[in-house]
Amino acid sequence: MSDDNDTERRRDLGAGSCTLLNGADLPSCTIVIFGASGDLTARKLIPALQNLFRHRCLPPRYNIVGCGRSAMDHERFRQSLAAFQEENQPGAGWRHDWAEFAANIFYQPLRYDEPEDYRALATLLEQLDRERLTTPNRAFYLAVPPALYPLIGRQLGEAGLATGEEGGDGDKGQPAGEGRRRPADQPWARIVVEKPFGHDLNSAVALDRVLHGSFREEQIFRIDHYLAKETVQNILMLRFANAIFEPLWNRSYIDYVGIISSEKLGVEHRAGFYETAGVLRDMFQNHMLQLLALTAMEPPSRFEAAQVQDEKVKVFRALKPFARDKLAANLVLGQYGPGVIDGREVPGYLQEPGVAPDSVTPTFAAMRLLIDNWRWRGVPFYLISGKRMAAKETRIVIQFKEVPHSMFRRELLDTMLANRLVLGIYPEEKISLNFQAKSPGTKECLQPVTMDFNYERRQGAKPVFDAYEMVLLDCILGDHMLFWRQDGVELAWKFLDPILHACESCEAGARLLQTYPAGSPGPEKARSWVELL
């Protein structure tokens, strides 16, 4: 299968349709999930794979092999997955094709630091290929804590499991050269890792060095599931396929851009991770900066992974660094205190299990960024994300400038709102454009009007696949469009590292951090920015 065909199939999936993507066209493969007894596997990965199976978008021959420390055989592993679905999926819809789907699921006990266990895994994979007539194509999904990424990556290489289409001899993390093509019949091996990609720039570089000791850059798929959401994918389509938007997408017509991703949930059971990460590492280094890059990037020469990644990297390079002595003017940090969510009293962050009583870890951040290039010079970008806020929502706001001169009477000026384009990502995936129109009645009577495009309301256009299903398919297809590239990871850390170092110093951290009640729009100092969105 050529790379061009892979991209074409991905476009069809992005439209929420598998009409043109037929699983029969895909090469047989084995998906190996490390951390198979964990929550992510049962809650996200297995349902995603079952839905792909249900829509005939998996290859005709495939294997799913779970690996973990728990001692189980194949049947017990299948039973544990079925028990989880029974408990957590409403209704019985998952059952009707479960037996057929589960017949392709297997299990291999594995201690992550034991080389002989990886050799046993290799033996099982070879056995499955012989018995089930599958090609030795491997996708290794690391559904494990990030601290295990280097260990598993190294062990896979030493066991000879990293070899495949791209050679598996390691490289320095540079993008693949243009025109590199794999023979259609050559087996492949790929590794999938979830964010966070390191804790800071140095650890991200160290992780990359270890992974590239076994895998080449084109074999590594760094997941950011935000990128697989329909509306996020549609940002590029909206901008570059419509002549009415792109000519206005610059500093001459746009007043500011806002990106907000808020959650009603607290840290829940993730306090151990969150205490070492905070909102800047958890959300800004990945999700928020990716949304920024898609919104601000220049048009790629072609709608292909390498070209799109190149343009996103240019945005990261153009981010204007924060002056350390002006940090408070461009950054607001917060930590949620006790409050009320949906009529229920909830504890503050300091009262959550596993959180240090004197913790200064931020659970909210509002950041004002500038992109120092020709298109965006002087246009502020507001990035806001926090936990225990009033609502769970994610959206991108493009606020256009007011008309340069109004011919209407002065008393109408207060009601004449500037045009606004809103890209809703959650809870509704939609696009809204606000503009002014005359209402029936007197000569000068204006009213704001909204033009909506809603994915779910459009007949027959409800997305078939969720984010995890999209990234799993793209990994099988070998398409990096929805994934991070290492140079982008490092540039994102390079921008955030000075901010993190300043915020995590005792004096600056305490000075910047404000408490906000759970269920509120965030710290008082950030309210004016939140209200813009």
Side-chain angles (χ1 to χ4, degrees), residues 123-415:
T123 300
L124 173 64
L125 296 179
E126 292 168 1
Q127 177 187 341
L128 290 174
D129 287 338
R130 285 195 308 271
E131 295 177 354
R132 296 169 56 80
L133 303 179
T134 48
T135 306
N137 295 319
R138 323 282 194 219
F140 299 103
Y141 197 111
L142 273 54
V144 296
L148 291 174
Y149 293 171
L151 175 61
I152 295 174
R154 186 184 302 112
Q155 295 280 14
L156 287 172
E158 292 176 355
L161 289 168
T163 57
E165 62 174 31
E166 298 89 1
D169 56 351
D171 65 8
K172 300 301 180 183
Q174 298 303 314
E178 189 68 35
R180 291 176 64 174
R181 293 288 185 265
R182 60 177 168 84
D185 58 347
Q186 187 171 351
W188 47 258
R190 295 163 186 160
I191 187 169
V192 184
V193 295
E194 294 228 21
K195 66 97 175 171
F197 313 116
H199 188 74
D200 54 17
L201 177 59
N202 290 337
S203 60
V205 172
L207 169 62
D208 182 66
R209 188 179 297 118
V210 172
L211 291 179
H212 280 93
S214 302
F215 297 88
R216 298 184 67 86
E217 176 65 20
E218 54 264 40
Q219 291 178 273
I220 302 172
F221 288 72
R222 303 173 186 85
I223 281 186
D224 186 338
H225 64 272
Y226 264 48
L227 296 181
K229 294 180 182 294
E230 286 288 346
T231 313
V232 174
Q233 294 179 65
N234 204 39
I235 295 172
L236 299 185
M237 311 293 182
L238 178 78
R239 289 186 55 192
F240 303 132
N242 296 289
I244 62 172
F245 290 116
E246 186 56 23
L248 309 179
W249 211 269
N250 56 62
R251 58 188 171 87
S252 298
Y253 298 96
I254 293 178
D255 191 25
Y256 64 84
V257 176
I259 303 173
I260 185 168
S261 180
S262 61
E263 297 183 67
K264 294 167 72 173
L265 292 176
V267 293
E268 305 301 311
H269 58 282
R270 301 175 68 219
F273 160 76
Y274 210 83
E275 274 286 83
T276 62
V279 68
L280 292 175
R281 288 187 175 90
D282 187 43
M283 289 295 294
F284 280 73
Q285 189 275 335
N286 37 76
H287 302 328
M288 303 301 284
L289 286 183
Q290 278 286 351
L291 294 178
L292 169 73
L294 289 170
T295 306
M297 63 186 276
E298 296 296 320
S301 58
R302 297 179 68 184
F303 186 59
E304 294 186 357
Q307 286 81 354
V308 172
Q309 299 279 15
D310 288 343
E311 297 305 330
K312 289 197 289 187
V313 163
K314 291 177 185 177
V315 174
F316 298 141
R317 287 200 182 103
L319 289 174
K320 192 170 183 178
F322 283 2
R324 186 156 185 164
D325 58 344
K326 297 181 179 178
L327 199 58
N330 296 296
L331 178 67
V332 178
L333 298 179
Q335 185 185 88
Y336 67 83
V340 178
I341 301 280
D342 295 334
R344 179 175 59 92
E345 291 187 2
V346 296
Y349 181 74
L350 297 181
Q351 289 77 52
E352 299 279 15
V355 173
D358 58 348
S359 173
V360 292
T361 300
T363 62
F364 171 97
M367 188 180 292
R368 180 168 54 192
L369 304 176
L370 292 174
I371 298 175
D372 207 5
N373 63 16
W374 185 281
R375 180 185 292 261
W376 297 112
R377 177 83 174 181
V379 177
F381 283 71
Y382 297 94
L383 273 58
I384 298 171
S385 182
K387 290 188 172 295
R388 286 292 192 211
M389 295 179 68
K392 177 176 174 59
E393 55 186 347
T394 302
R395 64 180 179 272
I396 301 170
V397 173
I398 312 297
Q399 183 65 52
F400 291 94
K401 293 183 177 181
E402 295 182 355
V403 293
H405 171 71
S406 175
M407 68 184 74
F408 304 104
R409 294 191 314 180
R410 186 176 301 275
E411 53 263 32
L412 290 176
L413 294 181
D414 291 340
T415 59

Side-chain angles (χ1 to χ4, degrees), residues 36-37 64-81 102 105-110 124:
S37 57
I64 300 169
V65 177
C67 297
R69 295 190 181 101
S70 301
M72 287 187 283
D73 59 17
H74 304 323
E75 189 55 37
R76 186 178 169 191
F77 180 51
R78 294 165 186 157
Q79 290 171 358
S80 70
L81 294 174
I105 298 177
F106 306 89
Y107 187 80
Q108 175 66 39
L110 184 140
L124 173 64

